[in-house]
């Protein structure tokens, strides 16, 4: 399907944070862009924001003065909706209120050509519902950009129940021509990103609530082992706890109180206290001048092992065995004793170090002839600078130090956390993959769509579907199954799509 040509005009309604960014994207792609806002001051501010951004691009050598002038020359301020008449695509980015959005779109239908595309940048309102009372509801589509729109690559194209496929395809191709990574999504609460990302926050909050680990330790493990740019608490403080809490509540209620999305009392308290995050100077962290960020838990040096045995070695953990060899540790790969199905892992001085499969170390120790310490997932064990470990309640502090000593000997910092099932990175990644699988299962998007969305909408280091395949779908299913068994909660039930794949192809993509 072909994109709109740059010769065809675009209009943007709402000149706030998102509207101004979208105007810039479309004008940079060569379109004449008509911008309207009920507040003239908002248009002034929006255009000033664009001018500032483009001036910085010139300073950085990304564009020249002539190009900057040409982009600004293509932006046209409008004083009334009627001025948007020449536009073939109108993108609405006004206040998140269905009645106001509906009224704007129904006025537009009388102003624009019949074949114009009506797009909404809404984050949380059903496209089907916005379109319902229009004369031509099939011309309505969602075009969901991410903040800041000129920088974030993703655009979700949202199909309402009656959206014409051709309309969605032209909108898709147009966003692609604007340099975006684009995915199709069915109009369902949270679309892709705001739904699939929920466990990133909610599982971190659960771990905190259960006393599994403190805030800086969870954040450090997610960054330094998980490879994410920011930890969940750092990110919630950046987004604003008020906004993050309201998105969570809206998704939770929109899915009729689905337990996976249940909001956290901890976050509610933060919001009640006005601790919104960076913008209010205090959130999970204190942003006042001179206040140092608290350090994550980091274990004291333990004894370096001379010899270890690796078992169940696979692509995931083999970098750990290689690092151990490089550190001068003798690595045996045959375990003579009768060890468990709970692979993979290492035997170090008669202490079993097991990659978490969602079973607690306490339970594992109770059924094995060894003391068990579980260790967390890393995006890449070569690159990870920190690994979380947890000991069974029966395991001595000396044995824990031996386990820590192994990871320290191969150059990792160790965070000891409580015996929390699934630890931190494994638990969050398993839940992200489960949520992505369920979105695919329910026909919201494809597995590729989930990965593109999460990598480009929220900068995940790897798409959750690919990540689950790399870990092994059976392992992910086990993590989820063990979490469900431990908590007895429906929240951790495995998506039927994921479960089915473990019996067959072992693939999601
Ligand atoms: P904003 O508050 O910065 O801007 C909204 C603008 O719309 C204001 O300038 C306001 O004067 C104008 N406006 C309100 N009613 C209007 C009307 N009837 N006609 C014309 N202009 C009107 O809001 P923001 O953050 O830019 O959000 C806009 C939309 O984008 C919302 O639907 C929101 O859900 C969605 N969105 C927001 C994202 C974000 O991170 N802020 C991300 C993706 C989508």
């Amino acid at each position: 399907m072909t994109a709109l040509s740059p010769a065809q005009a675009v209009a943007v309604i709402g000149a706030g944070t998102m509207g101004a960014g979208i105007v810039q994207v479309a004008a940079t792609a060569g379109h004449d862009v008509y911008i309207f806002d009920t507040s003239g001051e908002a248009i002034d501010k929006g255009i000033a924001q664009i001018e500032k951004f483009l001036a910085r691009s010139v300073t950085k050598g990304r564009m020249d003065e002539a190009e900057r002038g040409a982009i600004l020359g293509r932006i046209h301020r409008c004083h009334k909706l009627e001025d948007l008449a020449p536009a073939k695509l109108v993108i609405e980015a006004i206040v998140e209120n269905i009645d106001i959005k509906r009224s704007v779109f129904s006025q537009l239908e009388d102003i624009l050509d019949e074949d114009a595309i009506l797009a909404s940048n809404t984050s949380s309102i059903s496209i089907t519902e916005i379109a319902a009372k229009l004369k031509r509801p099939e011309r309505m589509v969602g075009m969901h950009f991410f903040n800041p729109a000129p920088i974030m690559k993703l655009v979700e194209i949202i199909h309402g129940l009656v959206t014409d496929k051709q309309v969605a395809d032209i909108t898709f191709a147009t966003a692609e021509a604007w340099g975006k990574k684009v995915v199709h999504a069915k109009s369902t609460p949270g679309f892709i990103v705001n739904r699939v990302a929920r466990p990133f926050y909610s599982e971190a909050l659960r771990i905190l609530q259960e006393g599994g680990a403190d805030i800086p330790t969870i954040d450090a493990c997610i960054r330094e082992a998980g490879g994410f740019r920011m930890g969940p608490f750092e990110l919630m403080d950046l987004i604003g706890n008020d906004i993050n809490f309201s998105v969570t509540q809206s998704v939770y209620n929109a899915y009729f109180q689905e337990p996976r999305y249940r909001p956290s009392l901890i976050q509610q308290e933060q919001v009640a206290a006005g601790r919104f995050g960076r913008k209010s100077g205090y959130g999970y962290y204190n942003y006042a001048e001179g206040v140092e960020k608290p350090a994550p838990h980091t274990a004291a040096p333990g004894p370096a092992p001379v010899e270890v045995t690796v078992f169940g070695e696979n692509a995931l953990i083999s970098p750990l065995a290689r690092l151990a060899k490089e550190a001068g540790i003798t690595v045996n790969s045959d375990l003579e004793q009768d060890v468990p199905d709970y692979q993979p892992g290492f035997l170090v001085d008669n202490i079993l170090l097991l990659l978490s499969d969602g079973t607690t170390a306490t339970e594992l120790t109770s059924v094995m002839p060894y003391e068990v310490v579980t260790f967390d997932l890393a995006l890449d064990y070569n690159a990870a600078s920190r690994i979380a470990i947890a000991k069974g309640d029966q395991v001595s502090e000396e044995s824990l130090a031996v386990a820590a000593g192994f990871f320290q000997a191969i150059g990792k910092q160790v965070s000891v956390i409580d015996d929390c099932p699934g630890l931190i990175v494994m638990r969050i990644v398993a839940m992200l993959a489960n949520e992505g699988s369920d979105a695919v299962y329910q026909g919201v998007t494809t597995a590729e769509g989930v990965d593109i969305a999460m990598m480009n909408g929220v900068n995940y280091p790897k798409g959750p579907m690919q990540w689950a395949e790399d870990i092994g779908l059976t392992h992910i299913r086990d993590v989820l199954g063990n979490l469900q068994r431990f908590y007895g909660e429906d929240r951790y039930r495995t998506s039927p799509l994921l479960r089915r794949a473990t019996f067959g192809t072992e693939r999601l993509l």
Side-chain angles (χ1 to χ4, degrees):
M1 188 56 62
T2 45
L4 287 189
S5 107
Q8 292 175 298
V10 169
V12 176
I13 308 181
T17 315
M18 294 308 294
I22 297 167
V23 166
Q24 184 183 325
V25 170
T28 303
H31 297 269
D32 275 307
V33 185
Y34 295 84
I35 177 168
F36 172 73
D37 195 296
T38 40
S39 149
E41 212 178 298
I43 301 185
D44 292 342
K45 253 177 86 181
I47 291 181
Q49 176 190 313
I50 299 170
E51 282 172 343
K52 202 168 141 202
F53 190 107
L54 296 179
R56 242 191 347 254
S57 302
V58 172
T59 316
K60 288 187 177 163
R62 293 200 192 114
M63 69 172 60
D64 58 27
E65 263 304 332
E67 210 175 328
R68 184 184 96 96
I71 295 170
L72 291 172
R74 287 194 285 269
I75 300 173
H76 313 283
R77 304 160 146 269
C78 298
H79 302 286
K80 47 188 193 315
L81 268 185
E82 286 71 15
D83 297 342
L84 308 184
K88 292 293 169 207
L89 166 66
V90 178
I91 306 168
E92 165 276 312
I94 65 170
V95 59
E96 193 73 336
N97 174 308
I98 182 152
D99 295 328
I100 302 179
K101 285 188 196 286
R102 275 179 155 175
S103 138
V104 165
F105 280 114
S106 68
Q107 292 174 61
L108 280 172
E109 281 196 306
D110 295 333
I111 295 169
L112 303 171
D113 286 348
E114 285 201 356
D115 64 350
I117 295 176
L118 306 172
S120 175
N121 182 50
T122 179
S123 292
S124 62
I125 302 176
S126 156
I127 295 299
T128 305
E129 203 176 339
I130 300 176
K133 294 205 173 142
L134 295 180
K135 282 183 236 157
R136 295 182 292 279
E138 69 283 356
R139 305 297 304 168
M140 170 96 215
V141 67
M143 202 176 184
H144 188 216
F145 289 79
F146 289 73
N147 188 20
I151 292 171
M152 295 306 289
K153 282 269 170 234
L154 185 69
V155 178
E156 295 176 330
I157 302 297
I158 314 301
H159 298 231
L161 191 63
V162 299
T163 301
D164 182 345
K165 185 173 178 311
Q166 235 192 339
V167 166
D169 287 346
I170 296 171
T171 313
F172 187 103
T174 302
E176 251 185 350
W178 294 356
K180 296 299 182 186
K181 297 273 184 192
V182 195
V183 289
H184 287 290
K186 195 157 82 178
S187 182
T188 44
F191 310 138
I192 306 172
V193 170
N194 281 340
R195 170 191 182 161
V196 177
R198 300 294 11 114
F200 188 69
Y201 315 107
S202 63
E203 288 309 310
L205 284 159
R206 275 288 291 251
I207 294 166
L208 177 68
Q209 188 167 36
E210 291 169 15
D214 61 19
I215 290 169
T217 304
I218 296 171
D219 277 345
C221 289
I222 286 292
R223 267 188 284 105
E224 297 175 39
F228 290 83
R229 287 196 199 165
M230 295 177 89
F233 296 99
E234 292 159 343
L235 187 52
M236 284 186 276
D237 271 0
L238 179 69
I239 294 168
N241 282 301
D242 49 339
I243 292 179
N244 190 271
F245 185 56
S246 112
V247 174
T248 305
Q249 279 180 300
S250 129
V251 171
Y252 176 63
N253 289 319
Y255 280 100
F256 306 114
Q257 291 81 41
E258 161 59 53
R260 284 204 308 275
Y261 311 132
R262 181 168 297 138
S264 161
L265 287 176
I266 291 184
Q267 192 169 37
Q268 179 169 265
E269 281 290 282
Q270 291 285 324
V271 176
R275 289 188 173 183
F276 299 148
R278 287 197 195 184
K279 64 185 173 190
S280 67
Y282 210 126
Y284 293 109
Y285 296 99
N286 181 350
Y287 296 92
E289 277 270 323
V291 176
E292 235 177 78
K293 209 171 166 189
H297 176 273
T298 303
V306 176
E307 192 179 0
V308 302
T309 301
V310 58
F311 54 91
E313 190 173 347
N314 58 17
L316 193 62
I317 69 150
S318 69
L320 289 172
R322 201 180 39 72
L323 287 170
K325 282 180 204 146
E326 283 169 13
I329 300 168
T330 303
V331 180
N332 307 311
S333 52
D334 238 3
L335 197 62
E336 281 166 21
Q337 289 102 322
D338 173 30
V339 188
D341 309 329
Y342 299 97
Q343 295 173 340
F346 296 86
L347 187 68
V348 186
D349 281 5
N350 229 32
I351 295 141
L352 211 48
L353 274 178
L354 295 172
L355 174 66
S356 177
D357 73 345
T359 314
T360 62
T362 303
E363 181 178 342
L364 291 168
T365 303
S366 77
V367 295
M368 288 196 192
Y370 299 98
E371 291 187 301
V372 175
V373 172
T374 53
F375 66 92
D376 203 0
L377 175 69
L379 173 67
D380 168 4
Y381 283 107
N382 279 310
S385 54
R386 176 178 301 276
I387 303 287
I389 63 173
K391 75 175 186 67
D393 291 344
Q394 317 87 326
V395 175
S396 69
E397 289 297 327
E398 290 72 27
S399 301
L400 178 66
V402 168
F406 169 70
F407 286 107
Q408 290 160 342
I410 59 173
K412 313 297 182 197
Q413 295 207 296
V414 172
S415 286
V416 175
I417 69 166
D418 193 36
D419 188 14
C420 159
L423 300 176
I424 298 168
V425 184
M426 183 65 91
R427 174 162 166 170
I428 289 178
V429 168
M431 286 295 276
L432 291 171
N434 199 40
E435 196 57 52
S437 298
D438 233 38
V440 176
Y441 182 62
Q442 292 165 1
V444 176
T445 184
T446 59
E448 290 79 6
V450 169
D451 280 1
I452 293 170
M454 303 318 285
M455 290 172 73
N456 295 285
V458 269
N459 292 323
Y460 283 6
K462 195 188 269 201
M465 312 305 271
Q466 181 67 56
W467 207 340
E469 282 192 1
D470 293 349
I471 294 164
L473 300 190
T474 304
H475 194 91
I476 295 289
R477 183 198 66 196
D478 288 349
V479 171
L480 295 165
N482 286 322
L483 284 165
Q484 190 183 20
R485 191 170 53 86
F486 184 82
Y487 290 111
E489 285 179 53
D490 202 28
R491 173 186 177 100
Y492 297 102
R493 71 189 184 276
T494 309
S495 165
L497 183 98
L498 180 58
R499 182 176 295 282
R500 178 168 166 176
T502 62
F503 297 123
T505 59
E506 282 278 345
R507 306 205 71 82
L508 295 170
L509 286 159

